[in-house]
């Protein structure tokens, strides 16, 4: 499926924002891209255990949504969580430590790539069974509502998850109870290798949400400003008790579904067209076009990010693994009564 | 002190916990409806009058609202979610077994899921799909504690312990033990009433109870089968066989201290379970006894359980499915060479 949004980020859209904010968006997105590329290389060289699901090409959805959140808001993620985690404020180091299976990782080496999270930063370990995090996010939003707290939950999932019962049950309950959750559907056109056109007759996945009586919008998910603006509007609604909101963020995975996927199911012309829609490339061009930012400034941002990630890689490579004493700990919280 | 059945005792436990702790709330199908039923078996009947904002009546969406209970628990609430029939837990298996049970471990011990799950079980004239004993399905799922009370005293105390525990806890309730009075009473109900103290108490999770002492054989059971075991013990006593009845009451963790003390004394262990014999809780207890106390056994561990079939409907078949005192007594006689 070819891109349906114009490639250029509109000038009047980019003119609305401070230079520093735009540079921050670029830095956040570049950090995700660089992190994922570095991790891919670590896997290829055999330095990292496990498997990975990467998000190159989808940086604008994570960054656009998280920029619309407050620091103390919550986010739930999926088997493809690296970008969401970085955008939510987890450091490259704490994630890399986890990917290397270190006791110093954000989940003490017990989670791994598909369960990255840090509750202190508002992100519980990612839930890697498709759709499984959607009821959990709705439940977190229910708690926030019952506790009369101002926070909201951003719930990320892919196009594939909208066929799960968990999606339908949770969106419906969030709808009938007006829960403060933004459902962020990253429609990257493929659930693993299956094209979205093969799993629904609907022309748009947002119709699956409007069926539950909630506001649902389709957004250019590779234009970080478009994502940010829609997410901000959704967040305001949720905080006002008028949630939930569903955002269909149209994007494209520029990498395989997982570690060894050569993407033979994606037509070459389609891949080429979407490569041109790379969200980093589009923001970079728009920034340079605006004239306030120079190539050397962007390169300085990129260099600083690369150096920080390289330093984190060097630390994470040498970090200690868990000991066998850690094997059976952390199954239960210490009981407040009895055994 | 007042006399109560299990349904009333559970209702009182929930109300007291909700009064004590504003984080506690209930979530389930057909609860909190004025003029409604209080769930399928009246346990939450009328609680909406005192707690109108904390009785959350859900659509029929077990996987969804068990997951929501987990999410709410992660953010500091103390949800009590229930299914109308234990069989419906299978609709929510992803949220229970892949999310709630694993979140603590996957987070490296940083996230807590203080989620209580209630599930009525037992074969009660409804055919195969509203009848199973689901305890076995969760026994091999690390991260979930399991309790299965046979008396009103234990039901109240274990539910309170579950609410306060801080971990996912599944409480199985037997439909024939809820009570023998009221409009939704089951035919064939067994008296499980207890004297309930006026003061607050908990029954610690992980402790079995010796219901009857005896030197000849240890009978281990829970829920309805704990009553069958005691009835059998009374019959056997008249024949000169003294059975010790251990009500396991907590299935995860299992109390091998109490079970072991009894087995070491009697040298004979029989496990009674409602549900197919293959892959049941009884198999786990039998292996656990053999590994820990095998040297003390005078005869091999035995089980009385249901055949490996779905639960049948016709009363004559259902009665044959569900172990009873006669079958328990017969098994004990065989073990004792009588």
């Amino acid at each position: 499926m070819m891109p349906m949004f114009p490639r250029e980020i509109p000038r009047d859209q980019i003119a609305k924002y401070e230079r520093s904010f735009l540079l921050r968006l670029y830095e956040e997105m570049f950090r995700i891209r660089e992190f994922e590329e570095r991790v891919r290389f670590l896997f290829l060289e055999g330095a990292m255990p496990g498997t990975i699901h990467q998000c190159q090409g989808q940086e604008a959805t994570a960054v656009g949504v998280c920029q619309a959140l407050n620091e103390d808001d919550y986010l739930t993620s999926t088997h493809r969580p690296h970008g969401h985690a970085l955008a939510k404020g987890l450091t490259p180091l704490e994630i890399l430590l986890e990917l290397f299976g270190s006791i110093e990782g954000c989940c003490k080496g017990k989670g791994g790539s598909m369960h990255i999270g840090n509750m202190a930063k508002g992100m519980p370990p990612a839930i890697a069974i498709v759709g499984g995090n959607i009821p959990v996010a709705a439940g977190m939003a229910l708690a926030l509502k019952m506790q009369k707290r101002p926070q909201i939950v951003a719930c990320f999932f892919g196009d594939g998850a909208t066929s799960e019962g968990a999606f339908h049950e949770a969106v419906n309950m969030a709808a009938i109870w007006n829960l403060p959750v933004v459902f962020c559907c990253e429609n990257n056109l493929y659930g693993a290798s299956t094209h979205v056109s093969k799993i629904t007759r609907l022309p748009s996945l947002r119709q699956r949400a409007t069926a539950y009586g909630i506001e649902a919008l389709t957004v250019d998910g590779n234009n970080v400003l478009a994502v940010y603006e829609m997410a901000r509007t959704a967040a305001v609604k949720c905080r006002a008790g008028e949630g939930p909101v569903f955002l269909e963020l149209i994007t494209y995975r520029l990498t395989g579904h997982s570690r060894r996927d050569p993407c033979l199911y994606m037509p070459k012309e389609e891949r080429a067209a979407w490569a041109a829609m790379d969200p980093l490339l589009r923001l970079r061009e728009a920034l340079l076009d605006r004239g306030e930012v120079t190539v050397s400034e962007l390169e300085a941002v990129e260099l600083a990010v690369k150096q920080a990630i390289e330093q984190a890689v060097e630390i994470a490579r040498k970090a200690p693994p868990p000991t066998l004493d850690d094997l059976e700990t952390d199954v239960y919280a210490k009981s407040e009564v009895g055994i | 002190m007042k006399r109560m059945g299990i349904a009333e005792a559970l209702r009182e436990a929930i109300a007291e916990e909700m009064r004590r702790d504003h984080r506690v709330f209930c979530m389930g199908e057909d609860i909190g409806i004025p003029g409604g039923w209080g769930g399928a078996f009246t346990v939450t009947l009328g609680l909406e009058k005192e707690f109108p904002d904390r009785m959350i009546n859900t659509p029929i969406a077990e996987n969804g609202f068990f997951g929501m209970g987990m999410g709410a628990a992660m953010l500091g609430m103390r949800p009590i979610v229930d299914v109308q029939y234990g069989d419906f837990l299978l609709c929510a298996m992803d949220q229970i077994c892949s999310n709630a049970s694993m979140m603590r471990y996957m987070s490296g011990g940083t996230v807590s899921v203080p989620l209580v799950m209630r599930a009525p079980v037992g074969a009660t004239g409804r055919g195969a799909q509203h009848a199973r004993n689901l305890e076995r399905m969760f026994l091999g799922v690390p991260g979930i504690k399991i309790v299965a009370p046979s008396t009103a005293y234990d039901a109240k105390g274990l539910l309170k312990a579950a609410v306060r525990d801080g971990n996912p806890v599944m409480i199985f309730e037997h439909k024939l033990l809820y009570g023998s009075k009221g409009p939704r009473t089951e035919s064939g109900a067994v008296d499980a009433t207890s004297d309930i103290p006026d003061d607050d108490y908990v029954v610690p999770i992980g402790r079995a109870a010796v219901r009857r002492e005896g030197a000849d054989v240890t009978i281990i059971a829970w829920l309805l089968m704990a009553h069958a075991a005691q009835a059998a013990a009374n019959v056997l006593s008249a024949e000169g066989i003294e059975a010790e009845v251990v009500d396991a009451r907590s299935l995860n963790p299992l109390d091998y201290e109490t079970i072991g003390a009894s087995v070491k004394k009697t040298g004979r262990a029989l496990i009674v379970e409602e549900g197919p014999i293959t892959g049941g809780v009884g198999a786990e207890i039998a292996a656990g006894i053999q590994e820990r106390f095998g040297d003390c056994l005078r005869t091999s561990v035995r089980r009385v359980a249901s055949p490996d079939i779905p639960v049948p409907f016709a009363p004559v078949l259902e009665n044959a499915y569900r172990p009873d005192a006669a079958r328990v007594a017969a098994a004990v006689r065989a073990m004792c060479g009588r």
Side-chain angles (χ1 to χ4, degrees):
Chain A
M1 202 159 85
M2 292 301 183
M4 62 287 272
F5 295 99
R7 184 169 179 281
E8 271 183 32
I9 297 177
R11 283 190 176 178
D12 57 343
Q13 188 174 34
I14 203 150
K16 288 189 282 186
Y17 297 97
E18 295 280 332
R19 180 179 175 280
S20 59
F21 175 73
L22 296 168
L23 272 173
R24 185 160 83 238
L25 294 181
Y26 185 78
E27 180 185 338
E28 297 264 346
M29 286 167 58
F30 185 80
R31 181 176 296 111
I32 296 172
R33 176 68 57 89
E34 178 63 18
F35 181 93
E36 292 289 57
E37 286 297 316
R38 191 70 190 86
V39 164
R40 190 165 70 95
F41 189 68
L42 287 164
F43 267 92
L44 290 175
E45 72 179 25
M48 208 171 246
T51 188
I52 37 165
H53 301 80
Q54 302 203 285
C55 68
Q56 289 95 325
Q58 303 182 189
E59 294 86 352
T61 56
V63 171
V65 169
C66 286
Q67 285 296 317
L69 299 178
N70 295 333
E71 205 175 311
D72 58 358
D73 285 329
Y74 292 91
L75 177 153
T76 70
S77 181
T78 69
H79 56 285
R80 199 180 304 288
H82 302 173
H84 304 144
L86 289 164
K88 189 69 181 77
L90 275 76
T91 64
L93 179 59
E94 67 184 308
I95 303 171
L96 282 163
L97 286 164
E98 188 64 28
L99 297 184
F100 273 106
S102 169
I103 185 75
E104 293 171 1
C106 54
C107 301
K108 290 198 209 163
K110 289 175 170 170
S113 169
M114 287 198 271
H115 305 300
I116 294 294
N118 180 345
M119 199 57 159
K121 293 181 177 175
M123 180 178 173
I127 288 171
I129 296 177
V130 170
N133 65 314
I134 306 174
V136 175
M140 291 164 71
L142 174 67
L144 293 169
K145 184 178 179 182
M146 293 180 84
Q147 294 161 348
K148 299 186 168 56
R149 289 165 65 191
Q151 287 91 340
I152 64 170
V153 184
C155 172
F156 280 93
F157 50 89
D159 41 291
T162 65
S163 295
E164 286 278 8
F167 166 83
H168 294 272
E169 295 182 15
V171 171
N172 182 47
M173 282 186 274
I176 58 181
W177 298 324
N178 300 106
L179 299 182
V181 53
V182 183
F183 294 111
C184 305
C185 175
E186 293 174 310
N187 182 356
N188 66 11
L189 313 187
Y190 291 89
S193 68
T194 301
H195 193 266
V196 67
S197 61
K198 293 186 171 140
I199 58 100
T200 177
R201 278 176 67 156
L202 300 173
S204 165
L205 294 179
R206 82 171 172 275
Q207 292 172 267
R208 290 189 156 176
T210 52
Y212 296 104
I214 67 171
E215 185 181 1
L217 301 156
T218 299
V219 186
D220 176 358
N222 280 9
N223 173 352
V224 68
L225 292 174
V227 176
Y228 169 71
E229 286 168 7
M230 288 304 170
R232 197 180 47 185
T233 306
V236 167
K237 280 195 76 156
C238 285
R239 275 186 232 285
E242 294 161 19
V245 177
F246 177 96
L247 301 179
E248 181 189 20
L249 310 170
I250 307 288
T251 183
Y252 197 81
R253 165 159 59 67
L254 295 177
T255 183
H257 164 70
S258 63
R259 197 162 46 143
R260 290 198 185 87
D261 174 13
C263 301
L264 299 177
Y265 48 86
M266 291 171 158
K268 278 208 181 85
E269 319 75 67
E270 181 189 276
R271 293 195 64 157
W274 280 97
M277 292 293 281
D278 180 335
L280 261 173
L281 214 59
R282 290 171 69 194
L283 181 61
R284 185 187 174 93
E285 284 174 16
L287 280 169
L288 294 173
D289 179 59
R290 195 168 106 143
E292 276 180 51
V293 179
T294 63
V295 171
S296 61
E297 269 180 296
L298 293 180
E299 284 173 353
V301 166
E302 292 170 5
L303 185 65
V305 167
K306 281 185 182 192
Q307 284 174 341
I309 288 176
E310 205 44 50
Q311 278 175 6
V313 167
E314 288 318 306
I315 296 169
R317 270 184 198 276
K318 297 179 198 126
T323 70
L324 294 187
D325 291 339
D326 301 308
L327 179 65
E328 296 185 38
T329 59
D330 301 323
V331 180
Y332 298 96
K334 189 180 178 334
S335 172
E336 292 157 36
V337 285
I339 292 177
Chain B
M1 193 83 90
K2 48 201 170 302
R3 196 77 190 166
M4 280 186 182
I6 285 187
E8 295 168 275
L10 288 170
R11 189 182 309 133
E12 189 169 88
I14 293 169
E16 287 177 10
E17 290 306 290
M18 288 176 83
R19 270 173 223 137
R20 184 186 64 80
D21 185 345
H22 66 277
R23 300 171 302 175
V24 179
F25 73 97
C26 294
M27 195 172 192
E29 293 153 351
D30 298 298
I31 68 169
I33 303 269
W37 312 331
F41 297 95
T42 73
V43 170
T44 54
L45 188 66
L47 293 181
E48 70 280 358
K49 290 180 196 130
E50 186 175 348
F51 310 103
D53 301 327
R54 286 194 277 159
M55 299 300 293
I56 299 186
N57 183 45
T58 68
I60 301 167
E62 290 85 4
N63 195 46
F65 70 78
F66 271 65
M68 289 186 70
M70 172 192 168
M74 281 164 49
L75 288 201
M77 298 301 284
R78 296 273 165 146
I80 303 172
V81 297
D82 75 278
V83 281
Q84 298 207 337
Y85 291 84
D87 307 73
F88 309 167
L89 288 173
L90 302 186
C91 297
M93 283 305 247
D94 183 47
Q95 293 299 332
I96 299 168
C97 296
S98 295
N99 287 349
S101 69
M102 294 185 185
M103 184 48 70
R104 177 95 188 155
Y105 196 77
M106 295 196 304
S107 71
T110 58
V111 178
S112 294
V113 184
L115 172 68
V116 177
M117 297 167 276
R118 293 185 39 240
V121 296
T124 52
R126 292 171 168 90
Q129 295 183 338
H130 292 61
R132 269 167 296 181
N133 279 66
L134 276 295
E135 302 94 288
R136 65 187 56 226
M137 295 272 185
F138 300 92
L139 194 66
V141 183
I144 300 175
K145 298 185 180 183
I146 305 169
V147 297
S150 71
T151 70
Y153 180 91
D154 282 1
K156 183 174 179 188
L158 284 169
L159 183 61
K160 283 179 163 243
V163 170
R164 300 176 195 182
D165 189 81
N167 287 289
V169 182
M170 182 83 72
I171 176 164
F172 288 106
E173 304 160 6
H174 201 289
K175 284 166 265 174
L176 293 184
L177 298 179
Y178 274 128
S180 47
K181 286 182 292 186
R184 291 184 70 79
T185 299
E186 295 292 300
S187 138
V190 170
D191 181 11
T193 56
S194 306
D195 290 327
I196 303 291
D198 295 325
D199 293 337
D200 183 54
Y201 71 94
V202 297
V203 171
I205 297 170
R207 288 265 181 265
V210 177
R211 297 294 180 205
R212 181 186 191 283
E213 293 191 5
D216 299 323
V217 61
T218 300
I219 308 177
I220 300 152
W222 56 96
L223 291 174
L224 184 67
M225 293 300 105
H227 294 266
Q230 288 171 83
N234 292 337
V235 170
L236 292 163
S237 180
E239 300 169 19
I241 299 173
E242 295 302 331
E244 181 144 303
V245 177
V246 176
D247 183 348
R249 135 176 123 163
S250 165
L251 304 180
N252 184 17
L254 279 160
D255 180 5
Y256 279 111
E257 202 180 309
T258 300
I259 292 170
S262 180
V263 170
K264 283 178 195 167
K265 181 170 74 176
T266 63
R268 296 185 181 95
L270 173 72
I271 303 135
V272 187
E273 175 172 16
E274 180 178 343
I277 191 160
T278 301
V281 178
E284 181 57 37
I285 297 175
I289 289 172
Q290 180 64 35
E291 284 171 346
R292 290 169 176 79
F293 319 112
D295 295 349
C296 312
L297 293 174
R298 288 191 273 174
T299 181
S300 57
V301 179
R302 305 286 174 89
R303 291 176 286 164
V304 171
S306 304
D308 290 331
I309 57 170
V311 179
F313 169 68
V316 64
L317 297 181
E318 189 186 80
N319 289 337
Y321 172 90
R322 191 195 304 107
D324 57 17
R327 283 173 61 195
V328 175
V332 169
R333 285 185 203 109
M335 290 173 78
C336 296
R338 302 287 187 92

